[in-house]
Each structure stands twice: as C-alpha cells, then as structure tokens.
Amino acid sequence: MLIHKSCIAMLFAAVRSASAFSIRSLNHVSAPQKASLLKHFSTAAAADSDTLINNRISRAPVPSSLDARTLSENLDLVLSHLRSRRASDEALDAAKTITTLNLDRVSLIKQRDEALQQRNELSAKVGMLMRESKGEETEEIVGIKAEATTVGETAAGVEESLAEIESKMNSLLASLPNLLDDVVPDGDDDSQNELVSEWGDVSSLPKELGWDEDFTPLWHDDVATNLGGWQSDAAVGMSGARFVSLTGDVARLERAISSYFLDRASQKGYTEVSPPLVVSRTALEGTSQLPKFEDDLFKIMPESHTCNGEDAFLIPTAEVPLTNMHAGAILEESELPISYCALTPCFRAEAGSYGRDTRGLIRTHQFYKVEMVKITTAETSADEHEKLTRHAQECLEELKIPYKKMRLCSGDVGFSAQHCYDLEAWLPSTGEYREISSCSNTGDFQARRMALRYRPAPVADTNADEPNKGGKKKKKAKKPKPVLCHTINGSGLAVGRTLVAVLENYQTPDGDVVVPEVLRPYMGGLEILKKK
C-alpha cells in the first residue's frame, strides 16, 4: 500500500521527538492508509524504550481514564498498558477500532456541521427573498427550499451515522480496562505480585495456644464441625454447591466479626450505610462489573423484578450500591472525601472458578463482607487509597493474624483498578497466605462511567474588591467547571475469610477455639468456644 511521504515524515518526526501524536492531523488520509499509519506508529513508539516504566509506557501524559479522543491520541500508550495486563487480542483490536472509528466520527461531525451551516444559509436566503417578493413564493424560492430540504436530509443522515459510530465506540470503550498506575509491577499472574510489607510472626499464636511439634492444625471446616457449627450438607441440600450454613457459636462468632469491623470503620470516619442488595444494569456498568463480568453475577428474572425497567442483579459487593449513591451528581469539593462502609451479603456465581477452592468458606456463592468506599479528588486519591488500605490492615493486626501486603502485578490487577493492594492472611492448615482483602484505587474510571463529578473550590482572589484601571470593581471569578471524582474501594474485611483465619489460627490442640480479645465484647465476654 502506498502512503504519502509527507504523512510518514510527520509520523516519525513525532515519534523521534517524543511528542504527542495528533490523530486529528490525519483527517485527510483514507481509511486504509490510517490503519497502516497507526500500525507503523504503534511499532515505532513501542520501540522507544526510554519512556518505559515496568515494561510499559508511562501513563503520565494520560492521568485520567479513557474517552475516545484520549485513546485515539495515545493509542501506543493504551496498547502498551493492555499488553502489560496480558489482555486478549480482542481487547487490542477494540482499542485500534476505536481509533479508526474516532477518525470517522471527526470527519462526520465536520460533514454534519457543514451541512447544517449550509441549510441555515439557504433558510436565511429564503427569508430574504420572501421579504423582497412580499410573501410570494417564486420559482427561485421553491428551488432554494428544495435544496435546503436536501441538505437537511443529508445532515440527518450523517447524524444517524454518527449515532451508530458513537454507540459502537462506547460499547468498545466499556470493554477496555483501566490504565495502570506507574507503580504497578509488570507480571503475568498472582505469582509475580510484589511484597510490600509483612506483619506478624506465624509462630506467635501457636506458642500461646500450646501447639507442639506433633500438632497438625485442622482446616477451618473441621474446626467448626468440632464446635458443632458446620452444617454444609443442609445448605447444599437446599441451595446447591458452594453454600454453607453456620450454627451456634460459629454463627455467633461470624456476627461478632461483622460487628467489630463495622464499629471500627465507623470509628475511622466511615458513614455506615444499609444499601439495597438488588441493583440495576446501569449501576453495575457504573462500577464496571458490566458488561465484562455478567457471567459472575446472579441475575433476577425480569418476570420477578426489574430496576426501573432495567435488568436486576444481586450485588456482588457493596461497592456497587455505595459508589452509585452519587451517580450523576455534582458534589462540592468541600464535601470530599466521602467515606462509606456497609455490611452486606455478596452474591457471586464464580463462573470461572470451577474446581477451585471447593472446600470450606474460601470461595462460596454467598458471603458477608464489610466494604469501605471513598469518593475523593485526584489530588488526594493516592493518600486516601493508602488510608483505606491501612484501615483494613489494622483490623488484622488487632486480631493478631499474620498477613502480607501485596501490590498486584499488571497481569493480576482488577479490570477497574489502576493500583491495587491485596492483604493475605496466614492460614496454618495449608501453610499459606490467602487473600482476605483487596483495596483498589480506580482513579476516575468508575466516576466517568457513572458521571460522578465534583466542583473544585474557587481560588480566592485577594484583589477582587479592588477597582480595575477603569475605576470599576473586578468581576467575580466564575465557578470552576465540574471534574470527575476518584473512587476507592476495599474490603474491611471479608467476614467469611476472616472467620476462616480466626478458626484456624486460634484453635487449640484440644479442639477448642480461643476468642480473640477484640471480639470478646461482641461475644458477651466469652473467651473460649468449647469443642462439642
């Protein structure tokens, strides 16, 4: 394929100078040539390793989440981040397609605007001629009216094409994950996550509880069975696999953990919320569980219930209703950060986990979790993420459960997160650390999808009351335009997995379970759960 030499020169000059490549400068190029140029550009840009951080292009030029224009003007960066996430070929193709569609969109907008301008000019001419003819519709006027109608129909046709393109672009954009924070390490999967810190000695509690070398710690389900509180067969009989019933002291211990987490979050400034457990498709699109993860959700039959005419789903996490409480709103900067917490059951189909963690409470379809959510500004986002994560860490420390703080690598970080920490609690039965909390900073990724914005506080003008050169008072500064919020979420903590950690770490060789000190006030002062 022949490509104009001037386009090639412009393209590689931009690459060599490390300047932003403006896709808009290719509006005069044909569609096949655009595709070829984009291919050349992506290859050349990827070869410039000076800008790589953790094997991808730094996102510094694109601090916000993607819209079609930003993606198109930074295609090389977007592809770099998708490859870093080990994204599918379909995702890479989606990004390239958006760029091509955006070029077509810009061209169509120009065509529409030119047609509308031409129609307005013709309409004005008709008016002038009608005045000159004193209302008589001459042959010239009839001809101009017909021309105006044709031009209007052209504009309407272009508008339809625009709507179709924008719909395709929005659908493709919804399929693309967030860009990664520069601190996220490169890696294929959870085996390459980065250890940030480690707390606790795994031998401390065993020493206190009298474990000797001959003692083999039991799995949590066996511990719960010995306490008379494990009724999995009954649950499976009525609900199917991956459901569990807890009774007696074990159920009471689960409730104590929930109450402790809620009280602690409230003490840290989170407002407790009791949200709905059924949400709409739009709400799940806002927090980005949809459209990508529909197979992991429990959908309610429309014959039973819809949410304002939309498909209804059980919540997979309280993150969804908590974050959506301000969907479509414009907040004031003085209101931020907003911090919410909620204890809810969570429902997940776990469609992609067949055969994994089939035993016990590690992976079930229904589980309780205390969720923490923050809505804040871009400037405070990173600090609030650290604070939220620290609040989850303190829960584990007060329970005296050893844990690791892990920074998720590019191949393991969640779809909506730009940066994520996992807290992994020590489980002595298997001698490994397992995730008990995931704390994610999504930047403005979710806020863009749910139109969640805030208005920055106006900058005080100390000279506002002083007269200007003409002797008149200066005009008051205009209100700043609303900007997208940042949203942060994390488990504080997953109640079921915390119950697993408590049962395993606090078991005694006699089959009893010592109640952690911080939970005793929630257990009526009970210190030991006795083996039945």
Side-chain angles (χ1 to χ4, degrees):
M1 178 183 295
L2 294 176
I3 302 175
H4 198 280
K5 289 182 179 179
S6 65
C7 293
I8 293 291
M10 174 189 65
L11 175 67
F12 285 97
V15 173
R16 284 194 299 271
S17 64
S19 63
F21 177 61
S22 176
I23 297 299
R24 287 171 292 177
S25 60
L26 296 183
N27 285 344
H28 64 286
V29 181
S30 68
Q33 288 177 331
K34 290 173 191 172
S36 184
L37 280 168
L38 291 171
K39 181 179 179 181
H40 281 292
F41 175 65
S42 296
T43 302
D48 182 7
S49 60
D50 292 342
T51 59
L52 297 185
I53 296 178
N54 286 317
N55 287 331
R56 61 182 175 272
I57 299 173
S58 170
R59 74 169 294 174
V62 188
S64 61
S65 57
L66 296 173
D67 57 20
R69 178 177 172 179
T70 305
L71 186 154
S72 299
E73 295 180 351
N74 297 274
L75 179 61
D76 58 316
L77 186 152
V78 174
L79 294 176
S80 173
H81 281 243
L82 289 174
R83 292 187 184 104
S84 184
R85 281 180 172 271
R86 281 49 174 181
S88 65
D89 290 340
E90 288 78 9
L92 297 172
D93 289 341
K96 296 172 187 175
T97 301
I98 289 169
T99 302
T100 303
L101 290 172
N102 192 54
L103 290 167
D104 295 337
R105 172 180 168 273
V106 171
S107 177
L108 286 172
I109 288 174
K110 184 178 179 182
Q111 292 177 39
R112 179 200 63 189
D113 291 347
E114 288 175 350
L116 290 174
Q117 182 180 354
Q118 186 181 359
R119 186 189 66 180
N120 291 340
E121 290 171 353
L122 291 169
S123 297
K125 192 172 182 180
V126 167
M128 182 187 69
L129 292 173
M130 289 288 285
R131 286 191 296 275
E132 291 178 355
S133 66
K134 298 181 179 180
E136 182 180 344
E137 196 167 88
T138 65
E139 185 175 334
E140 182 183 7
I141 291 174
V142 171
I144 295 173
K145 277 188 172 182
E147 187 180 355
T149 299
T150 300
V151 173
E153 290 172 351
T154 299
V158 172
E159 193 69 58
E160 287 181 12
S161 298
L162 262 176
E164 184 179 343
I165 283 178
E166 288 176 349
S167 177
K168 288 180 181 177
M169 288 170 59
N170 290 336
S171 178
L172 291 170
L173 273 171
S175 72
L176 296 181
N178 203 349
L179 295 177
L180 298 166
D181 192 296
D182 285 347
V183 300
V184 174
D186 185 62
D188 294 329
D189 52 38
D190 59 4
S191 66
Q192 293 177 294
N193 290 342
E194 176 184 285
L195 176 63
V196 177
S197 63
E198 194 168 356
W199 184 92
D201 181 351
V202 298
S203 65
S204 292
L205 279 174
K207 288 178 182 176
E208 290 182 24
L209 298 170
W211 297 12
D212 57 33
E213 294 180 357
D214 296 329
F215 177 65
T216 300
L218 301 177
W219 276 62
H220 61 277
D221 54 346
D222 289 333
V223 176
T225 298
N226 289 339
L227 297 176
W230 187 261
Q231 309 292 338
S232 62
D233 290 344
V236 170
M238 70 178 94
S239 303
R242 294 190 186 274
F243 285 93
V244 172
S245 287
L246 305 176
T247 60
D249 286 340
V250 178
R252 189 179 179 191
L253 182 60
E254 181 187 47
R255 176 162 54 88
I257 292 169
S258 303
S259 298
Y260 161 63
F261 287 161
L262 272 181
D263 285 352
R264 203 182 187 293
S266 297
Q267 292 164 10
K268 291 294 180 179
Y270 294 81
T271 299
E272 185 175 345
V273 179
S274 178
L277 305 181
V278 176
V279 292
S280 67
R281 179 174 291 275
T282 295
L284 287 158
E285 288 172 346
T287 46
S288 71
Q289 278 81 9
L290 289 178
K292 187 174 178 62
F293 303 107
E294 185 159 351
D295 288 345
D296 289 329
L297 300 174
F298 279 97
K299 185 176 180 180
I300 296 173
M301 297 296 291
E303 295 81 7
S304 299
H305 179 72
T306 62
C307 295
N308 301 316
E310 292 186 27
D311 291 337
F313 299 82
L314 296 178
I315 62 168
T317 164
E319 167 198 343
V320 180
L322 291 182
T323 313
N324 272 283
M325 285 180 67
H326 297 284
I330 299 177
L331 306 170
E332 296 299 325
E333 185 174 1
S334 58
E335 298 178 74
L336 304 178
I338 293 173
S339 301
Y340 289 133
C341 67
L343 167 68
T344 66
C346 305
F347 304 91
R348 298 185 187 175
E350 300 286 0
S353 60
Y354 180 78
R356 292 170 53 198
D357 299 317
T358 56
R359 180 177 178 180
L361 288 171
I362 294 294
R363 196 178 300 276
T364 55
H365 289 314
Q366 174 187 319
F367 58 93
Y368 284 96
K369 180 159 65 84
V370 171
E371 184 73 5
M372 302 181 294
V373 163
K374 284 180 175 283
I375 301 171
T376 188
T377 67
E379 292 75 18
T380 61
S381 179
D383 286 343
E384 292 297 332
H385 182 210
E386 296 295 333
K387 287 179 184 178
L388 181 143
T389 305
R390 183 62 197 148
H391 294 156
Q393 290 175 247
E394 289 169 354
C395 292
L396 287 168
E397 291 170 14
E398 291 182 5
L399 287 167
K400 298 182 180 179
I401 294 173
Y403 70 90
K404 290 181 177 180
K405 179 182 179 181
M406 309 294 293
R407 193 191 318 274
L408 269 56
C409 73
S410 58
D412 193 35
V413 69
F415 180 85
S416 64
Q418 63 182 30
H419 181 203
C420 181
Y421 294 116
D422 269 6
L423 304 182
E424 299 179 352
W426 172 250
L427 299 184
S429 65
T430 54
E432 61 183 348
Y433 289 87
R434 295 298 303 266
E435 178 203 334
I436 201 167
S437 175
S438 190
C439 302
S440 300
N441 187 346
T442 72
D444 64 7
F445 186 80
Q446 294 179 332
R448 184 182 298 280
R449 295 178 176 222
M450 64 176 67
L452 169 55
R453 297 175 292 169
Y454 75 95
R455 193 183 304 279
V459 178
D461 185 354
T462 56
N463 300 317
D465 294 329
E466 294 181 8
N468 58 21
K469 292 181 180 179
K472 297 179 181 180
K473 284 189 176 182
K474 294 181 179 178
K475 292 181 179 180
K476 290 185 178 180
K478 292 182 179 179
K479 282 186 176 182
K481 290 183 178 180
V483 296
L484 292 171
C485 296
H486 277 213
T487 59
I488 301 158
N489 63 78
S491 308
L493 304 163
V495 175
R497 292 194 178 191
T498 303
L499 178 62
V500 169
V502 169
L503 290 173
E504 293 200 5
N505 281 281
Y506 279 88
Q507 62 181 298
T508 71
D510 296 330
D512 300 334
V513 170
V514 174
V515 178
E517 288 185 26
V518 292
L519 298 181
R520 291 174 188 175
Y522 301 94
M523 296 286 290
L526 190 63
E527 296 183 5
I528 297 177
L529 306 182
K530 290 291 187 179
K531 179 180 179 180
K532 302 298 183 185

